[in-house]
Amino acid sequence: MIGDRIHTIRVQKRMTLSMLAEKAKVTKSYLSNIERSISKNPTIEFVEKIAFALNTEPELLLGWRKDENEISSLDDSFSYVKRYLINMDDEQLRDLKDYIEFILWKRNKE
C-alpha cells in the first residue's frame, strides 16, 4: 500500500514524519493517516508533493514500478550482513542486538 511505501522510503532517508510533512507542505496528521492506512486514497497532488519531498517518483509510491537500484542495493546490503551473522556466536549476536537497540533509541531521541 502507498502508506507502507512512503513510510519505508521516509525511514530510509532518515526523515521524521514532521520533517517530511514540512518539506512536502502537507499536514503531519494526514501524512500519518496515510502511512498507517487510516486514509487510503490520497490525491495525486498529495502523492506528487510527497514524491518530490522524498526525491522519488510518484509511480514508485503508487507501486506502479520498482526502483531497481534500490532493490539491488538493499539485496547487496542484506547479503553482506547475512554473511557475518551466520558466523556469530550467541554473545556476539546479543552485543549486536544491544547495539541496534541503542542506535534506534538514539535516533528516536533526535
Side-chain angles (χ1 to χ4, degrees):
M1 306 224 24
I2 189 168
D4 294 332
R5 288 186 285 277
I6 291 170
H7 177 79
T8 299
I9 295 170
R10 176 177 64 77
V11 170
Q12 285 174 350
K13 295 186 181 267
R14 298 176 188 227
M15 295 177 78
T16 65
L17 197 64
S18 297
M19 290 166 63
L20 178 56
E22 185 177 327
K23 188 172 181 181
K25 295 181 174 55
V26 299
T27 65
K28 180 180 170 183
S29 61
Y30 185 62
L31 176 56
S32 175
N33 286 344
I34 292 292
E35 283 195 2
R36 293 180 294 139
S37 296
I38 293 171
S39 297
K40 298 180 182 181
N41 295 313
T43 64
I44 192 64
E45 179 184 16
F46 175 87
V47 174
E48 288 173 340
K49 286 179 177 182
I50 296 297
F52 182 78
L54 291 171
N55 196 29
T56 191
E57 300 294 322
E59 294 86 356
L60 288 173
L61 297 181
L62 294 166
W64 295 348
R65 70 177 178 85
K66 300 207 182 291
D67 185 340
E68 295 302 321
N69 292 332
E70 286 184 22
I71 292 170
S72 65
S73 174
L74 189 58
D75 286 344
D76 290 345
S77 296
F78 280 128
S79 296
Y80 178 83
V81 170
K82 184 179 170 184
R83 279 182 290 195
Y84 287 97
L85 289 174
I86 289 171
N87 295 313
M88 289 180 145
D89 62 28
D90 288 345
E91 183 179 350
Q92 291 171 318
L93 289 170
R94 278 192 298 276
D95 289 345
L96 178 60
K97 177 184 171 278
D98 291 344
Y99 180 71
I100 291 169
E101 288 174 351
F102 171 75
I103 295 298
L104 293 173
W105 171 81
K106 187 176 176 185
R107 255 189 220 157
N108 287 332
K109 277 187 69 174
E110 296 175 355

